[in-house]
Amino acid sequence: MRTRLRLMELNRAVCLECPEFQIPWFHDRYCQQLQHRGNGSMSTLQQQVHQMLGEILGGIGYAKVSVLTPYYYAIDFECILDKNKKPLLHVDQSILLDDLPKMQGGQHSQ
């Protein structure tokens, strides 16, 4: 298991640091399996930090806990800001993807 993790990390590093080599990212399934094995619960410290970020930003919906990047780097907390550096509410990405074809066609859902 440890060897496979190291191979994934090597594949990720080469994909991100040396795109000119055109090495494909082939560890997506493995990373999804690892993600499902995780316990998914927040520690007391994470809960406290999340609550404090919510107080600072105007609500806990402005900060997301335990975010994974497309190459499965773990980010403890994420806050997205608009062009005026104001926090944006986190929304389910699948909702945004479902609405994308409607928005591209010039139709807005009511």
Side-chain angles (χ1 to χ4, degrees):
M1 186 66 145
R2 188 174 177 172
T3 302
R4 183 128 190 232
L5 179 63
R6 297 297 177 234
L7 287 172
M8 181 278 294
E9 291 170 344
L10 175 63
N11 182 217
R12 177 173 60 192
V14 172
C15 287
L16 295 173
E17 299 293 329
C18 306
E20 66 273 14
F21 295 149
Q22 299 181 352
I23 303 296
W25 169 247
F26 49 85
H27 280 92
D28 197 46
R29 193 171 117 203
Y30 170 71
C31 290
Q32 288 174 1
Q33 290 171 348
L34 283 180
Q35 181 183 2
H36 290 308
R37 287 184 197 154
N39 61 8
S41 62
M42 282 197 293
S43 69
T44 304
L45 177 62
Q46 285 177 313
Q47 291 173 0
Q48 291 173 346
V49 171
H50 191 222
Q51 182 179 3
M52 291 168 76
L53 284 171
E55 291 171 9
I56 293 167
L57 299 170
I60 59 170
Y62 291 103
K64 192 171 180 182
V65 182
S66 300
V67 178
L68 287 176
T69 69
Y71 285 92
Y72 295 88
Y73 279 109
I75 300 173
D76 293 326
F77 298 94
E78 178 183 57
C79 172
I80 299 174
L81 304 177
D82 66 11
K83 64 181 179 181
N84 298 316
K85 298 185 180 173
K86 301 289 182 193
L88 297 173
L89 276 172
H90 276 274
V91 293
D92 186 357
Q93 295 297 323
S94 63
I95 293 171
L96 291 176
L97 293 174
D98 289 343
D99 289 342
L100 187 61
K102 296 176 197 168
M103 295 170 82
Q104 287 177 341
Q107 302 169 348
H108 297 285
S109 59
Q110 298 287 327

